[in-house]
């Protein structure tokens, strides 16, 4: 999760899969059409329909919906499930189209605004280290 804590409940996956990514997505790649691209910071969360369908979903789709009980980014999801980033993007698009995931794509301008990045850096520097000492601000 973004705050470093694991999501509640048991980890829905076991060891890293041995199946090739193109087999999981039937050879499809992430859609690059305008308005459909899922940046790595895109937040996904399971819908009630997705959680109700868990028992009927196949392997990776099941793992994605199960892991998305709380919102998390595409990047976090790929890392947690040990799946290739583009595999998660393709499957998340499928699950969104099926109504099993809700997808929140961040505003491009907000994510690339230098003032936002500066505030994030300043916020990180304001976090005390393990000895309770604030980091130098420059």
């Amino acid at each position: 999760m973004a705050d470093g804590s694991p999501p509640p409940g048991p980890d829905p996956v076991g060891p890293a899969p041995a199946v090739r990514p193109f087999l999981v997505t039937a050879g499809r790649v992430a859609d690059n059409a305008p308005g459909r691209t899922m940046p790595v910071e895109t937040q996904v969360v399971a819908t009630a329909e997705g959680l109700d369908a868990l028992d009927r979903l196949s392997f990776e789709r099941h793992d994605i919906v199960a892991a998305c009980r709380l919102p998390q980014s595409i990047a976090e999801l790929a890392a947690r499930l040990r799946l290739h980033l583009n595999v998660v993007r393709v499957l998340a698009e499928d699950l969104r189209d099926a109504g099993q995931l809700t997808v929140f794509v961040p505003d491009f301008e907000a994510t690339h605004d230098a003032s936002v990045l500066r505030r994030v850096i300043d916020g990180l520097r304001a976090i005390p280290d393990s000895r309770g000492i604030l980091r130098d601000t420059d």
Side-chain angles (χ1 to χ4, degrees):
M1 306 275 323
D3 64 358
S5 65
D11 194 3
V13 298
V19 177
R20 297 254 185 215
F22 66 86
L23 292 174
V24 175
T25 63
R28 294 174 299 137
V29 295
D31 192 350
N32 290 328
R36 295 216 13 125
T37 304
M38 283 192 193
V40 296
E41 65 271 14
T42 298
Q43 298 288 303
V44 290
V45 64
T47 63
E49 294 83 8
L51 294 173
D52 288 343
L54 270 178
D55 294 339
R56 297 184 304 278
L57 295 174
S58 62
F59 309 106
E60 291 82 9
R61 286 174 175 81
H62 174 278
D63 292 346
I64 289 171
V65 172
C68 288
R69 286 185 169 91
L70 293 175
Q72 58 188 302
S73 72
I74 293 288
E76 290 173 307
L77 194 55
R80 179 165 185 227
L81 299 179
R82 299 181 204 110
L83 290 172
H84 189 281
L85 184 61
N86 282 332
V87 168
V88 173
R89 282 181 171 144
V90 169
L91 297 180
E93 287 174 0
D94 292 348
L95 291 164
R96 172 185 57 191
D97 293 344
Q100 296 164 337
L101 276 185
T102 299
V103 175
F104 301 97
V105 179
D107 177 38
F108 179 82
E109 296 301 321
T111 60
H112 292 84
D113 182 352
S115 68
V116 172
L117 295 175
R118 173 47 70 194
R119 289 193 312 258
V120 169
I121 291 168
D122 291 345
L124 290 172
R125 286 184 176 152
I127 298 171
D129 68 10
S130 61
R131 297 170 290 172
I133 300 171
L134 290 178
R135 297 173 222 266
D136 186 14
T137 57
D138 272 295

